[in-house]
Amino acid sequence: MPLSKKIDRLFTAFSAHISSAVGQPAAFVIAVGIVVLWALSGPAFGFSDTWQLVINTGTTIVTFLMVFLIQNSQNRDAAAMQAKLDELLRALQEAREEFIGIEHLPDTVIEKIRASLEEEVGVETGKQGTADESVERLIERT
């Protein structure tokens, strides 16, 4: 297996594990505990610039690294969801298969397709029209 694939697999596994771990309540409690300990240590360090720099540097580094891990996780989730939707479009007889892969089109084209679909079903265009119609249909089912 090429080195790039090994690195990709390792990064994917690492980011999935970290994303899962930091999304747990215990991770939040630990983060709050660190901030509380840092704040309580202020008097011992005379609320010095170095004391402030510790929390600033720590949070900046963690935030910077988490952006990449969370983005990787979101990209993977979105790709998996898109593959599932594409399979549904492919499998259903009435579905229009030309919608498979539209996520690769520019945003402006996707917006035109969405507006066209809303017009086709007689819904007010825009997000509000879609939401109102969806909620009305859901209420009618109950």
Side-chain angles (χ1 to χ4, degrees):
M1 178 185 311
L3 181 60
S4 63
K5 284 199 179 231
K6 287 180 183 178
I7 291 172
D8 188 48
R9 279 188 171 179
L10 181 65
F11 183 72
T12 298
F14 179 73
S15 67
H17 178 72
I18 296 298
S19 293
S20 176
V22 299
Q24 301 300 316
F28 178 76
V29 170
I30 291 169
V32 168
I34 290 170
V35 171
V36 167
L37 287 174
W38 169 80
L40 292 174
S41 71
F45 293 98
F47 299 102
S48 68
D49 289 344
T50 303
W51 172 79
Q52 292 177 28
L53 189 62
V54 166
I55 197 73
N56 289 339
T57 303
T59 56
T60 300
I61 290 170
V62 169
T63 302
F64 178 74
L65 295 175
M66 289 304 297
V67 164
F68 295 103
L69 295 176
I70 292 169
Q71 186 64 51
N72 177 271
S73 180
Q74 287 180 338
N75 289 348
R76 197 173 50 259
D77 289 349
M81 181 69 71
Q82 194 59 54
K84 292 172 186 179
L85 290 171
D86 286 349
E87 172 59 13
L88 287 173
L89 286 173
R90 188 199 60 75
L92 295 173
Q93 290 292 327
E94 294 92 27
R96 293 179 271 188
E97 291 183 359
E98 56 268 15
F99 283 99
I100 294 175
I102 67 168
E103 70 274 9
H104 302 292
L105 297 173
D107 290 343
T108 54
V109 175
I110 293 173
E111 183 58 34
K112 286 179 184 177
I113 292 169
R114 190 176 66 77
S116 175
L117 288 169
E118 289 171 349
E119 187 177 306
E120 185 178 311
V121 295
V123 175
E124 178 186 331
T125 58
K127 290 182 181 178
Q128 189 58 44
T130 305
D132 288 346
E133 186 70 19
S134 299
V135 171
E136 288 173 16
R137 287 184 190 165
L138 181 62
I139 291 171
E140 289 173 5
R141 289 183 193 169
T142 58

